[in-house]
Amino acid sequence: MSNRMTNLLVPIVSVILGLLVGAVIMLVSGYNPLEGYAALWNGIFGDMYTIGETIRQITPYLLAGLAVAFAFRSGLFNIGVEGQLIVGWFAAAYVGVAVELPKIIHLPLAIIAAAVAGALWGFVPGLLKAKFHVHEVIITIMMNYIALHVTNALIRTVSDGGDRTENIFASASLRSEFLENLTEFSRLHLGIVLALVMVGVMWFILEKTTLGFELKAVGFNKNASQYAGMNVNKNIILAMVISGAFAGMAGAMEALGTFEYVSSKGGFTGIGFDGIAVALLGMNTPLGVIFGATLFGSLKYGALNMPNAAGIPIEIVEIVIAVIIFFVASGYIIRLLLLRASAKKKEAK
């Protein structure tokens, strides 16, 4: 079996196996898998509204996945994407309500504020990792909680004790009348365009610049990179800063596009943590992140229709979606099984 055929079969077999096991789980639980999957399909592609909402759901996953993948490619595990996203969300919303400017200035300024906030939140663990060899996983986990509670306090301050800010000015909004009309007034916004541009930016940095070469080299082997004359500490900090900037922009998608405000939160959004799965599904490549985010976002949004349309409890739905993602993530095992089957077939001949 050729490599091209194997590469084609692995994702197809993975999805089919995930769907089959998910169907078995629904059958054992007493629910009709055909109705369940029909509801899932309609929740993703049922009409222009659901298609718009699905793409809207994919948008922050794209940027969160890029944030995690960029750090991974640099040899770092940025588990703090969630916190960086939260501070980016607050920064974008604050700039959106604090001043009213021409759209050509206001919207870029709000997005830049989100990216800077996320970058600063990534700078701290990057600095501690580089200077004091503190493990980035420990620091970023703690920074997530700091981000959650600090932004909650800031929201109460800027809203005079309330639990949410006012809606941002229209000049800072990513909403598009054209996209809303196209998708039957879904919340699809121009953030999807920015997210796809950032995919290109990540590819360009990693594959076409000296900085990207150094970041990947440091990720592969710090000692060899230092021996070659690279500034390892600088590259560690830069990797976390750029990763944090991607995460901050993911927060801007929610602040300026989906909700147009920021509210105090009782817990994490989950987008940043899901970004880890998106990056791993995409094998930490920019193009792979697009497919990972598309799969994850589509399943997440489409699954919301299963309890209503098919009467399947949300707990079963979550298990089914997790099983599908599990099999897709197990592509290496499926690839190995396909190669072994192909080898045995050749031996039999």
Side-chain angles (χ1 to χ4, degrees):
M1 186 182 297
S2 66
N3 285 335
R4 181 176 294 181
M5 181 61 69
T6 303
N7 292 336
L8 181 65
L9 283 176
V10 166
I12 294 173
V13 172
S14 300
V15 172
I16 291 173
L17 285 174
L19 292 172
L20 288 174
V21 174
V24 170
I25 291 171
M26 284 188 274
L27 275 173
V28 170
S29 304
Y31 300 98
N32 188 330
L34 294 178
E35 290 181 0
Y37 285 137
L40 177 64
W41 176 268
N42 289 331
I44 302 171
F45 303 109
D47 52 35
M48 289 305 296
Y49 176 84
T50 55
I51 291 173
E53 283 294 315
T54 298
I55 297 172
R56 190 270 311 162
Q57 181 78 49
I58 291 167
T59 302
Y61 282 127
L62 266 173
L63 288 161
L66 290 178
V68 177
F70 193 92
F72 270 139
R73 293 289 294 274
S74 307
L76 299 166
F77 187 6
N78 184 9
I79 205 171
V81 169
E82 179 72 20
Q84 293 148 18
L85 180 149
I86 288 172
V87 296
W89 188 335
F90 173 80
Y94 179 75
V95 172
V97 301
V99 292
E100 187 173 12
L101 299 166
K103 193 176 186 74
I104 196 171
I105 299 173
H106 202 181
L107 178 56
L109 183 63
I111 294 170
I112 290 169
V116 170
L120 288 173
W121 219 253
F123 171 79
V124 175
L127 180 67
L128 293 174
K129 170 78 172 182
K131 296 297 185 182
F132 304 105
H133 306 289
V134 181
H135 203 291
E136 72 274 11
V137 170
I138 298 171
I139 298 300
T140 50
I141 289 174
M142 295 299 102
M143 293 289 285
N144 285 337
Y145 287 96
I146 296 171
L148 176 66
H149 296 297
V150 167
T151 54
N152 280 349
L154 289 173
I155 290 164
R156 286 192 291 272
T157 300
V158 300
S159 62
D160 296 325
D163 61 356
R164 56 157 288 183
T165 63
E166 296 178 2
N167 280 22
I168 62 172
F169 288 110
S171 56
S173 176
L174 282 165
R175 293 282 178 90
S176 164
E177 187 176 346
F178 170 75
L179 292 177
E180 288 180 353
N181 291 333
L182 183 66
T183 57
E184 299 175 0
F185 301 100
S186 75
R187 291 176 293 172
L188 178 62
H189 52 78
L190 293 171
I192 185 63
V193 178
L194 177 62
L196 291 173
V197 169
M198 288 302 109
V199 171
V201 169
M202 175 176 164
W203 172 84
F204 183 80
I205 291 173
L206 290 177
E207 304 299 333
K208 298 296 180 179
T209 67
T210 303
L211 171 63
F213 177 80
E214 289 191 5
L215 289 172
K216 290 186 291 183
V218 170
F220 282 126
N221 191 317
K222 293 182 178 64
N223 295 327
S225 300
Q226 190 168 18
Y227 184 77
M230 299 177 192
N231 190 329
V232 172
N233 288 346
K234 182 193 78 172
N235 283 302
I236 288 173
I237 295 170
L238 273 176
M240 289 300 293
V241 165
I242 295 171
S243 175
F246 283 132
M249 282 189 280
M253 300 302 99
E254 304 296 84
L256 308 177
T258 304
F259 297 101
E260 296 192 319
Y261 64 86
V262 62
S263 60
S264 58
K265 299 169 182 62
F268 296 120
T269 67
I271 297 171
F273 297 122
D274 289 342
I276 299 171
V278 168
L280 293 175
L281 285 172
M283 300 178 69
N284 300 317
T285 64
L287 184 61
V289 167
I290 293 178
F291 292 113
T294 300
L295 175 68
F296 217 90
S298 298
L299 290 176
K300 280 281 186 176
Y301 185 76
L304 298 176
N305 191 47
M306 293 174 74
N308 297 326
I312 302 174
I314 190 64
E315 294 81 5
I316 303 297
V317 171
E318 292 286 346
I319 293 171
V320 170
I321 299 304
V323 164
I324 295 171
I325 293 171
F326 169 79
F327 275 96
V328 173
S330 303
Y332 289 115
I333 299 172
I334 294 168
R335 180 184 297 274
L336 180 63
L337 293 174
L338 286 172
L339 290 174
R340 284 185 177 179
S342 178
K344 285 182 179 180
K345 191 175 180 180
K346 286 182 181 179
E347 289 174 4
K349 290 180 179 180

